[in-house]
């Protein structure tokens, strides 16, 4: 539980102050390491609220990170089932 | 002992979780709860970010290891560069004053009110190509204002305005389209953002565009977007590609000027 809280704090700090790829690494690691790592959705929502705007490259969808992280949650969940 | 494997690819729990995510996303982005959360977050985050940026600017660790000779040489070359730039600036200011005078004579005199802002988050912090600046609704922003680097370099426009912060959409974001005029002949074209401060323009092959031509965003007081850096034309293609980059990388921008009365 303590590990999870520490990773969550790290994730939050990386979203606020670090490059995006650092947050992505923390998220992928968290998804593999913890069971039901729902925090990933919260992280997506925070990123979209703080930085998101409708852009042509994302088909003008302003919450693309939440969608991407949701997809990542399911994908890594499935991968974990097969490699268990 | 045999274990029965669950062959279903999507379980009931997955469906429920998916629905939960969609519901939460809708509640946050589709209702006024989103703006309340944003305003709360920016209240907490903006002062911390400002403090972090101050530290980053003042800490040049590598500077300590430079040798004295290199620093002296660099100093000399920078002094010379500064002198040359001073002369150019003088010339530019004279032309600018003349420009304003001429506009006043033809009744189109309009000096934009501008406001300085500090960049508190840069494009690398998210998958969105946005800058977050430390001014917002309280400072008179309404959205759509042009955002400049220095006096005359156009980099983007205000996309969303919070109470104390605003999100700036960069014109160089991938897929964004900006109307431009190229070179002394003022050839109209559309510049497509390529990401990372880069742009691409496609124009008919015979259009007279040279390397080094200035690219401007058209308005009464045109702003610089960049200069032509690379031209590519193929014999079998009726169009040629013009690639250019903004004079300043969005990653290096620490302060911007927002034009208020656009």
């Amino acid at each position: 539980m303590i590990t999870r809280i520490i990773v969550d704090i790290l994730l939050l700090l990386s979203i606020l102050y670090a490059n995006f790829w650092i947050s992505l690494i923390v998220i992928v690691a968290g998804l593999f390491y913890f069971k039901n790592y729902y925090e990933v959705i919260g992280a997506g929502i925070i990123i979209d609220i703080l930085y998101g705007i409708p852009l042509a490259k994302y088909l003008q969808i302003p919450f693309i990170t939440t969608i991407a992280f949701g997809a990542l949650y399911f994908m890594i969940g499935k991968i974990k089932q097969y490699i268990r | 002992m045999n274990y029965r494997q669950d062959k279903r690819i999507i379980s009931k729990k997955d469906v429920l979780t998916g629905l939960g995510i969609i519901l939460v996303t809708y509640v946050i982005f589709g209702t006024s709860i989103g703006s309340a959360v944003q305003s709360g977050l920016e209240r907490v985050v903006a002062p911390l970010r400002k403090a972090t940026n101050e530290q980053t600017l003042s800490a040049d660790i590598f500077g300590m290891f430079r040798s004295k000779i290199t620093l002296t040489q660099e100093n000399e070359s920078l002094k010379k560069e500064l002198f040359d730039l001073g002369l150019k600036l003088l010339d530019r200011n004279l032309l600018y004053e003349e420009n304003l005078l001429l506009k006043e004579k033809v009744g189109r005199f309009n000096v934009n009110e501008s406001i300085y802002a500090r960049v508190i988050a840069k494009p690398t912090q998210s998958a969105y190509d946005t800058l977050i600046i430390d001014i917002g609704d309280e400072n008179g922003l309404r959205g759509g204002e042009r955002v400049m680097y220095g006096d005359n370099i156009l980099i983007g426009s205000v996309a969303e305005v919070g109470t104390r912060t605003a999100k700036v959409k960069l014109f160089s974001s991938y897929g964004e389209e900006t109307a431009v005029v190229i070179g002394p002949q003022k050839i109209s074209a559309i510049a497509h953002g390529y990401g990372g401060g880069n742009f691409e323009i496609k124009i008919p092959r015979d259009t007279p565009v040279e390397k080094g031509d200035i690219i401007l965003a058209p308005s009464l007081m045109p702003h610089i977007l960049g200069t032509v850096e690379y031209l590519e034309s193929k014999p079998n293609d009726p169009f040629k590609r013009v690639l250019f980059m903004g004079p300043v990388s969005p990653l290096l921008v620490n302060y911007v000027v927002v034009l208020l009365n656009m």
Side-chain angles (χ1 to χ4, degrees):
Chain A
M1 190 63 187
I2 298 278
T3 321
R4 192 158 178 155
I5 292 167
I6 291 169
V7 173
D8 288 348
I9 292 168
L10 270 175
L11 178 60
L12 188 65
L13 290 175
S14 72
I15 289 169
L16 298 180
Y17 304 111
N19 285 354
F20 180 64
W21 57 268
I22 294 177
S23 312
L24 203 61
I25 289 171
V26 177
I27 280 163
V28 172
L31 281 169
F32 271 107
Y33 190 77
F34 302 112
K35 197 182 170 190
N36 297 330
Y37 194 57
Y38 293 120
E39 289 90 324
V40 69
I41 308 301
I45 289 168
I46 291 174
I47 290 173
D48 284 335
I49 285 176
L50 286 176
Y51 308 105
I53 53 168
L55 285 177
K57 67 174 169 179
Y58 298 133
L59 309 168
Q60 308 290 346
I61 300 169
F63 45 88
I64 201 78
T65 320
T66 312
I67 295 172
F69 284 2
L72 205 63
Y73 174 87
F74 284 112
M75 272 164 56
I76 292 179
K78 288 294 152 203
I79 292 169
K80 274 165 79 176
Q81 275 181 13
Y82 287 107
I83 61 174
R84 199 181 290 155
Chain B
M1 196 189 290
N2 286 329
Y3 289 99
R4 207 175 60 158
Q5 272 200 325
D6 190 359
K7 298 266 180 191
R8 282 178 303 179
I9 294 172
I10 299 170
S11 66
K12 204 174 172 183
K13 192 185 141 204
D14 288 343
V15 174
L16 283 174
T17 317
L19 285 174
I21 291 168
I22 292 166
L23 186 71
V24 168
T25 312
Y26 171 73
V27 168
I28 289 176
F29 295 100
T31 64
S32 58
I33 293 172
S35 53
V37 174
Q38 183 180 5
S39 137
L41 270 172
E42 76 188 32
R43 232 167 250 220
V44 177
V45 173
L48 287 169
R49 278 219 190 104
K50 274 186 199 172
T52 319
N53 280 1
E54 288 278 348
Q55 283 172 358
T56 318
L57 287 173
S58 60
D60 183 11
I61 300 160
F62 297 106
M64 289 194 300
F65 300 105
R66 284 185 195 157
S67 75
K68 202 176 171 183
I69 299 164
T70 322
L71 281 175
T72 316
Q73 285 170 347
E74 201 176 310
N75 193 3
E76 288 300 319
S77 99
L78 285 172
K79 269 183 190 164
K80 194 180 172 300
E81 204 175 316
L82 191 66
F83 180 74
D84 292 345
L85 284 173
L87 289 176
K88 279 183 188 168
L89 187 67
L90 198 69
D91 188 38
R92 184 250 175 212
N93 286 347
L94 283 170
L95 288 170
Y96 183 72
E97 278 171 25
E98 192 184 322
N99 191 319
L100 291 180
L101 207 72
L102 287 169
K103 281 194 174 107
E104 198 178 353
K105 277 189 178 171
V106 292
R108 295 296 304 272
F109 186 67
N110 178 23
V111 175
N112 286 311
E113 198 183 318
S114 59
I115 182 165
Y116 271 89
R118 181 188 286 175
V119 175
I120 54 174
K122 293 184 182 181
T124 49
Q125 281 182 258
S126 72
Y128 298 95
D129 223 1
T130 49
L131 295 176
I132 312 288
I133 53 173
D134 70 344
I135 55 170
D137 197 23
E138 284 180 351
N139 305 88
L141 295 194
R142 295 288 171 266
E145 291 88 351
R146 283 186 167 190
V147 178
M148 325 274 295
Y149 176 76
D151 284 340
N152 208 21
I153 298 165
L154 187 64
I155 56 169
S157 64
V158 175
E160 271 181 32
V161 184
T163 321
R164 291 172 194 172
T165 60
K167 293 173 193 170
V168 176
K169 177 162 73 177
L170 297 170
F171 290 137
S172 61
S173 287
Y174 186 84
E176 291 303 316
E177 294 184 345
T178 313
V180 295
V181 288
I182 313 167
Q185 298 190 31
K186 305 269 183 277
I187 298 154
S188 294
I190 298 289
H192 298 266
Y194 234 55
N198 300 294
F199 296 87
E200 183 200 54
I201 300 172
K202 277 199 170 173
I203 46 170
R205 197 171 55 195
D206 297 331
T207 316
V209 173
E210 302 281 326
K211 198 176 168 186
D213 280 354
I214 294 174
I215 295 164
L216 302 166
S219 76
L220 186 61
M221 189 62 78
H223 302 300
I224 297 168
L225 266 175
T227 50
V228 176
E229 290 189 13
Y230 182 76
L231 292 158
E232 185 186 88
S233 64
K234 292 173 188 164
N236 57 349
D237 192 351
F239 291 94
K240 69 176 163 191
R241 281 174 83 205
V242 177
L243 297 179
F244 73 98
M245 205 176 166
V248 61
S249 163
L251 304 179
L252 300 174
V253 174
N254 289 317
Y255 291 92
V256 291
V257 177
V258 181
L259 301 182
L260 287 178
N261 51 344
M262 286 305 297

